[in-house]
Amino acid sequence: MRVHKLTVIAALAAAASLSLTACQNGDDGAAGSGTSSAPSASSSKGAPDQPGSDQPGSAQPGGKGGTAAGKGTAASTTTPDSGKTAKCRTDDMEIKALDHTIDGDTDGTVAVELKNRSGRDCAISGYAGVDLKTSAGSLSAKRTGEQAPAGVLKKGKSVAFGINYPLNTSGGSGVRITGLVVTPPNETKSVTLPWPGTATLPVTDGSGSPVKVGPIGSAGQGGE
């Protein structure tokens, strides 16, 4: 009986040992699986979300931004992270006004030319702001309403728009023009230019501006 009991106890102990080993192996496998998958998920998802990661365009604008800020209008040719050409700035352009009136025309014409001297291409479209300084005060030109398509002004190239105004054929002294103020499209900084057209405007009844301005490109584009 003693020998039989010892045999049974030994068998139960062996079974318990095998059962415990199996449970431990199962737990270790689960833990190992969880440990190996966690770093994989972290490494694949964490990097793109980290600020300042080496993704295209993320570091470059920041690196150039400090330089651009120090130079004021000498900004990057593209809007940060957009890939679009930066707009033409007033300080980056040489602006002049020329008399383009043709003999026999009933109206006078002044062409305003904007030359891109920034050293990079820039985007420009729409209408410039135009105000005439006169002996009777400031006179704002009215837009013609022509469509103004978007365009890119290449570095070193010019674009022009036209200003039409009535000629003073009344025989009277009229309203004397003393200067021309131009504000490029989408800008707030203006430039004041000498007025190259006829010296006076006819006196009107004040029912609207007699001076009209066309969109960028309405007076042709120069090559220099």
Side-chain angles (χ1 to χ4, degrees):
M1 293 295 291
R2 181 178 178 80
V3 174
H4 178 70
K5 288 182 179 180
L6 290 174
T7 302
V8 172
I9 292 172
L12 291 173
S17 176
L18 289 172
S19 177
L20 178 59
T21 302
C23 291
Q24 289 175 342
N25 287 341
D27 291 344
D28 288 346
S33 173
T35 304
S36 61
S37 63
S40 175
S42 176
S43 61
S44 63
K45 296 181 180 179
D49 295 333
Q50 295 298 325
S53 61
D54 293 333
Q55 298 184 62
S58 64
Q60 291 300 325
K64 294 181 180 179
T67 303
K71 292 185 178 180
T73 57
S76 171
T77 56
T78 58
T79 302
D81 299 327
S82 71
K84 296 181 179 180
T85 304
K87 70 177 181 180
C88 297
R89 301 280 186 177
T90 303
D91 288 339
D92 288 338
M93 291 186 287
E94 178 184 340
I95 304 175
K96 58 184 178 180
L98 307 168
D99 183 14
H100 271 215
T101 303
I102 300 174
D103 290 342
D105 283 356
T106 56
D107 290 332
T109 302
V110 166
V112 178
E113 185 178 276
L114 303 93
K115 182 176 182 179
N116 180 4
R117 62 180 185 184
S118 67
R120 60 187 65 85
D121 299 347
C122 62
I124 189 168
S125 64
Y127 285 79
V130 171
D131 296 280
L132 269 59
K133 291 183 175 182
T134 76
S135 57
S138 180
L139 176 65
S140 296
K142 183 179 180 180
R143 297 179 178 182
T144 61
E146 298 173 63
Q147 187 175 1
V152 173
L153 184 57
K154 299 292 185 179
K155 59 181 180 180
K157 300 300 181 179
S158 300
V159 68
F161 65 88
I163 301 172
N164 292 93
Y165 62 96
L167 297 172
N168 184 15
T169 57
S170 64
S173 59
V175 178
R176 185 168 57 89
I177 304 173
T178 60
L180 171 64
V181 181
V182 175
T183 308
N186 303 311
E187 275 286 79
T188 56
K189 185 174 183 178
S190 304
V191 295
T192 301
L193 307 170
W195 173 252
T198 58
T200 63
L201 294 173
V203 177
T204 64
D205 58 6
S207 59
S209 176
V211 182
K212 311 293 182 184
V213 56
I216 294 293
S218 62
Q221 182 169 338
E224 296 293 333

